[in-house]
Amino acid sequence: MTAKKTGTQGRNAAQYTVIKVRLHPTAEQAVLMEKTFGCCRYLWNRMLSDVQEFYAATDLQYIPTPARYKKEAPFLKEVDSQALCAVHQNLRKAFLDFFRAPNSFGYPQFKTKKARKDSFTVYCREYRTGPSISLTGSGIQMPKLGLVRATVHRKPLHWWPLVSVTISKARSGKYFCAVVFKCGTQRPEQVLPTGDTTLGLNYSLSRFYVDSGGHSPDLPATAKAREKLARIQRKLSRMEPGSRNYEEQLQKLRLQHEHIANQRKDFVHKESRRIANAWDAVCVRETDLVELSQTLRQGGVMDLGFGMFRDCLRYKLERQGKRYIVVDHRAPTAKTCHECGCVNEQLSSREKRWTCPHCGAPVIRDVNAAKNLRDMGLGQLLNQETSAA
């Protein structure tokens, strides 16, 4: 059945696209990046400390500007001032988010050198001679750093203005740059889903998900990579910490973790893109994966990145005017028979197949839950459309 579209095409909407590239800096550029990482961390901690002292003394909120610290810390002048300004803006936004929703955003914390990833952001400025940052075919032109060689795998459209770049260093020692472009686009027409064009996804620990058609994705072949990771960890445990062999083995461990993470990201993006292109609406359960990982003894809940998959699926559907519907986690999707609606309260979590006590229909637990998610999501969307009208 073909999809039905409703609504009119809206006005231009602000949309941002991020292109992440691998950087290959020279030795001098790498030293300047490391200095910028340290200066940004130092400035964040100093401003946060002064904010706390000022609030304790006056009961008022005030964040000093970076220029205030350059006299007492002249090394701040060696790095790009825009990176320091971004630290001020990030701290201000962190406090605004905390005051607006303290249950969702924590109080800003001090940063340490042992952080999992160092990063700094530089915003693009427009001058008469041209923009301060530009992406070329061979790299990225930035203030102070100059032209940094990069592996550019995707070219932006020529009318996309460059907004900012965020340079980060992974634990493996590799440098990356996330380039943010603003691409104006018209709001897509809202697609009105039907039962035939709506998909229900039920989370599965062993199969990643089971959809309302009874299908599951082909999971990435990470078994060999995880076996290699275990061998590296066992070998590392027998070495003396701080020795040269220990540091070399630790680097191998970091690279292997990065390899597995890249496999996971590749699978998540390809699978979410396939579903977003094929269906008009997707219904998922509001599952707290952190709480689930603490409840299940088998472990592995966070290994394949189902939370990342849901986030990718949401924005890819929304960019096409399609619906991402979240069903309440308290809904008895697994215990409710899809054929007759009978709720089997005696069903245990270990039973994967059961027979409905009311209609006698054979039920496959995961498929039945996915179908109920689809129907409940469509009913929830219909109620929202009715109340809005």
Side-chain angles (χ1 to χ4, degrees), residues 284-332:
V284 298
R285 188 186 182 93
E286 188 186 14
T287 305
D288 190 343
L289 297 178
V290 176
E291 181 181 349
L292 186 63
S293 65
Q294 297 172 352
T295 303
L296 296 178
R297 296 180 179 179
Q298 301 94 326
V301 175
M302 315 296 286
D303 283 350
L304 285 177
F306 190 76
M308 184 196 309
F309 170 75
R310 291 185 301 189
D311 293 339
C312 292
L313 189 58
R314 178 190 292 109
Y315 84 79
K316 288 173 183 176
L317 286 168
E318 291 175 352
R319 286 192 173 187
Q320 300 181 51
K322 300 179 180 180
R323 307 299 180 97
Y324 178 85
I325 307 171
V326 179
V327 179
D328 190 0
H329 67 280
R330 293 169 293 185

Side-chain angles (χ1 to χ4, degrees), residues 36-165:
T36 309
F37 292 144
C39 289
C40 291
R41 181 172 57 249
Y42 168 84
L43 186 62
W44 173 281
N45 292 336
R46 282 299 311 272
M47 287 194 299
L48 181 57
S49 177
D50 289 348
V51 166
Q52 294 176 348
E53 292 180 3
F54 189 82
Y55 183 79
T58 63
D59 202 25
L60 296 174
Q61 195 75 21
Y62 171 72
I63 303 178
T65 61
R68 176 179 177 180
Y69 302 95
K70 289 188 177 181
K71 290 185 178 180
E72 61 183 80
F75 55 85
L76 295 177
K77 300 178 182 179
E78 300 178 13
V79 302
D80 188 5
S81 61
Q82 293 300 319
L84 304 180
C85 292
V87 175
H88 181 270
Q89 295 178 13
N90 292 339
L91 184 59
R92 179 176 177 272
K93 183 178 183 301
F95 274 109
L96 290 176
D97 291 338
F98 171 72
F99 292 134
R100 176 174 54 85
N103 294 330
S104 301
F105 299 92
Y107 186 84
Q109 301 295 320
F110 291 97
K111 296 184 178 181
T112 65
K113 292 183 179 180
K114 297 181 180 180
R116 297 187 62 182
K117 184 174 66 173
D118 289 322
S119 65
F120 66 87
T121 301
V122 179
Y123 290 92
C124 182
R125 300 285 182 176
E126 289 290 340
Y127 299 104
R128 282 183 288 181
T129 56
S132 59
I133 306 173
S134 59
L135 180 65
T136 65
S138 59
I140 300 177
Q141 183 72 35
M142 295 182 60
K144 298 249 179 170
L145 285 171
L147 180 62
V148 184
R149 290 194 308 111
T151 303
V152 183
H153 63 280
R154 178 186 174 190
K155 299 290 185 180
L157 298 181
H158 66 275
W159 63 82
W160 289 0
L162 195 153
V163 179
S164 65
V165 296

Side-chain angles (χ1 to χ4, degrees), residues 239-254:
M239 295 181 177
E240 182 181 356
S243 64
R244 181 177 179 180
N245 290 338
Y246 180 89
E247 295 298 330
E248 292 178 356
Q249 191 69 10
L250 183 61
Q251 178 64 11
K252 293 180 182 179
L253 180 67
R254 292 167 177 165

Side-chain angles (χ1 to χ4, degrees), residues 334-342 344 347 351-369 371-372:
K335 297 181 178 181
T336 304
C337 175
H338 179 260
E339 299 295 333
C340 65
C342 174
N344 186 2
L347 184 66
E351 296 182 60
K352 302 302 179 184
R353 295 173 180 265
W354 52 282
T355 302
C356 178
H358 183 264
C359 65
V363 178
I364 302 176
R365 185 189 186 98
D366 290 338
V367 180
N368 177 72
K371 291 180 178 179
N372 287 329

